[in-house]
Amino acid sequence: MKKLKTSIIVGLGVAMLVGCFPKASEVIRSLPVENKEQILAKYSESEIAEGKVLFTNNCAKCHKQKEPETRTPEQWNNTLKRMIPKAKLNDRDGQLVRAYLIVNAKEA
Ligand code: HEC
C-alpha cells in the first residue's frame, strides 16, 4: 500500500514537471547539434538571412547583442535552449536564428 502511494506521488510529480516545460523550445531541445555543413545543406540562403533579421530584432532586448563568432555551434545550441523561450520565438523562427548563429559561429 505504501509503495503504491509513493509511486502515485512520484508519478504526479513527473507529470507536473513535464507539463511545465516550455513548449516553444521543444524542437530546439530535441534537435541534435548540427555543424555548419549540415545547416547549409538544410537551410536556404534566404532562410539564414531571415534568421539574421530575427536575431537582430529579438536578441538584443535584454542584453547587448552577442556576436555569432563569440561562441561555437555547441555553445550556441546550449544557450539557445534558454534564450529562445526568453525571446518568445516560435519553433520555426527559433530554428532560423539557430541556423544563422551556427553558420557564423566560432570554429569548434
Ligand atoms: C527576456 C530577456 C532576454 C532575451 C529576449 C534574450 N536574452 Fe539572452 N540572456 C538573458 C539573461 C537574463 C541572460 C543571463 C542569464 C543566463 O545566461 O541565462 C542572458 C544571457 C545570454 C548569453 C550569455 C550566456 C551564454 O550561455 O553564453 C547569450 C549568448 C545570450 N543571452 C544570447 C541570446 C540570444 C541569441 C537571444 C535571442 C534568441 C537572447 N539572448 C534573448 C536575457 C534575455
Side-chain angles (χ1 to χ4, degrees):
M1 192 60 205
K2 209 169 173 208
K3 242 185 174 168
L4 183 66
K5 230 180 175 175
T6 311
S7 51
I8 289 174
I9 292 170
V10 169
L12 278 176
V14 169
M16 274 166 68
L17 268 177
V18 171
C20 290
F21 269 111
K23 292 269 184 306
S25 61
E26 257 167 34
V27 171
I28 298 286
R29 282 172 194 280
S30 61
L31 283 173
V33 187
E34 287 155 311
N35 61 31
K36 283 183 200 190
E37 287 70 35
Q38 287 169 319
I39 292 283
L40 287 170
K42 193 166 157 191
Y43 298 92
S44 70
E45 230 173 87
S46 65
E47 283 175 317
I48 292 170
E50 200 184 329
K52 180 178 184 173
V53 174
L54 287 163
F55 169 72
T56 313
N57 291 344
N58 295 288
C59 299
K61 287 179 182 165
C62 305
H63 44 66
K64 275 207 319 207
Q65 189 163 306
K66 318 271 183 186
E67 296 307 327
E69 59 276 8
T70 58
R71 285 163 175 79
T72 64
E74 179 110 18
Q75 288 169 330
W76 275 122
N77 206 61
N78 286 331
T79 302
L80 287 176
K81 288 175 190 168
R82 299 198 309 279
M83 294 303 141
I84 283 174
K86 277 195 200 294
K88 298 191 168 57
L89 295 175
N90 65 29
D91 283 340
R92 179 179 177 274
D93 291 354
Q95 285 181 58
L96 295 182
V97 168
R98 183 171 168 277
Y100 164 70
L101 290 171
I102 289 179
V103 165
N104 295 287
K106 180 162 76 178
E107 294 296 332

